[in-house]
Amino acid sequence: MAEGVAEEREERAEGRGERGQSWVGVPLTGEPLPLDLVNTTYIKGGLRGRLVDALAAGPQDLDSWLAAQRHRFAPGTAAALAAAPPAGPERHHEFLELRRALRSLAGARAAGGGPDSGASAVVNTYARMAADWPELAPGPEFRAVVRPVEGDPVRRALGAIAADAVGLFTGADGDRLRACPAPGCILYFVKTHTRRAWCTAGCGSRVRVARHSRRARTDGEEA
């Protein structure tokens, strides 16, 4: 038992977090796609919790996450993803690389700083994969078809997220981008209404409980 606790403390200190967690456990979804990707890493258990990576188990976690998000992509990309074979280690690595870059840029944008050049380069490289153009389809009728630069559906999705990130960080939503201020939280959200202060109601509740506990201790000491 003591040995297991020691291992858990060591794991937490090194920041490795839990392995094999499903995207279903992610506490915050429905933000812009680039932030939903960033938020696949989160702290479970508040300030003294542990780091969880919902994509850590490998390509199968990426497949599950993409399947859950498929409806949010353009119809052509969504259809291609539905018929795509499972993602391999290379695609998994690319998504993790993009996620690291997006987290760096989200942190800078939320803090009012400037973008890291390396993170910007990663996003720009992958954003090029979202490029497409219209062509006249072969045949007797005038009909347009869209030809994507990238043939791999998973990389097209990667490119779409990177391109969306450019719009997010440079547009009006970038001004509303927030890092959740709750202690121990590492999630990001777009403040879509003025009363929203936390990424989730859970973070708000933990902060209120902590405040109440501090006030109770202070009152007890004064008494």
Side-chain angles (χ1 to χ4, degrees):
M1 181 70 175
E3 193 173 298
V5 171
E7 288 176 354
E8 180 177 319
R9 287 175 178 168
E10 181 182 353
E11 181 182 56
R12 188 180 303 162
E14 293 180 2
R16 289 198 297 267
E18 295 180 356
R19 295 288 174 177
Q21 295 295 314
S22 168
W23 64 268
V24 176
V26 174
L28 177 63
T29 59
E31 296 297 321
L33 264 173
L35 295 187
D36 267 9
L37 179 58
V38 170
N39 290 339
T40 55
T41 52
Y42 58 96
I43 302 296
K44 182 177 181 180
L47 184 59
R48 297 182 179 179
R50 62 191 307 178
L51 180 67
V52 179
D53 184 347
L55 302 182
Q60 64 269 32
D61 277 349
L62 175 59
D63 287 331
S64 295
W65 186 80
L66 285 173
Q69 302 283 5
R70 189 187 304 147
H71 65 285
R72 303 180 64 187
F73 291 96
T77 300
L81 278 174
E90 184 177 355
R91 299 294 168 264
H92 182 246
H93 170 77
E94 290 173 340
F95 268 84
L96 297 186
E97 182 181 38
L98 177 61
R99 185 178 65 179
R100 285 192 296 271
L102 293 177
R103 177 169 288 280
S104 169
L105 295 172
R109 189 68 170 90
D116 174 78
S117 59
S120 295
V122 170
V123 170
N124 291 341
T125 295
Y126 289 137
R128 296 184 188 108
M129 297 177 186
D132 56 37
W133 66 92
E135 288 185 357
L136 287 171
E141 300 177 356
F142 282 97
R143 185 170 59 87
V145 293
V146 176
R147 304 294 188 194
V149 166
E150 177 56 56
D152 185 322
V154 176
R155 295 193 100 198
R156 284 166 62 184
L158 180 74
I161 294 172
D164 283 353
V166 175
L168 170 65
F169 295 138
T170 61
D173 279 351
D175 295 331
R176 296 189 288 266
L177 181 61
R178 301 288 187 272
C180 183
C185 186
I186 60 172
L187 300 182
Y188 290 88
F189 65 95
V190 174
K191 188 179 175 73
T192 52
H193 47 85
T194 56
R195 297 187 63 185
R196 184 178 184 185
W198 319 101
C199 66
T200 64
C203 270
S205 296
R206 281 192 294 271
V207 170
R208 285 188 289 272
V209 168
R211 286 175 181 168
H212 177 75
S213 297
R214 284 196 298 270
R215 282 196 298 268
R217 285 197 301 270
T218 300
D219 292 346
E221 291 169 359
E222 290 177 353

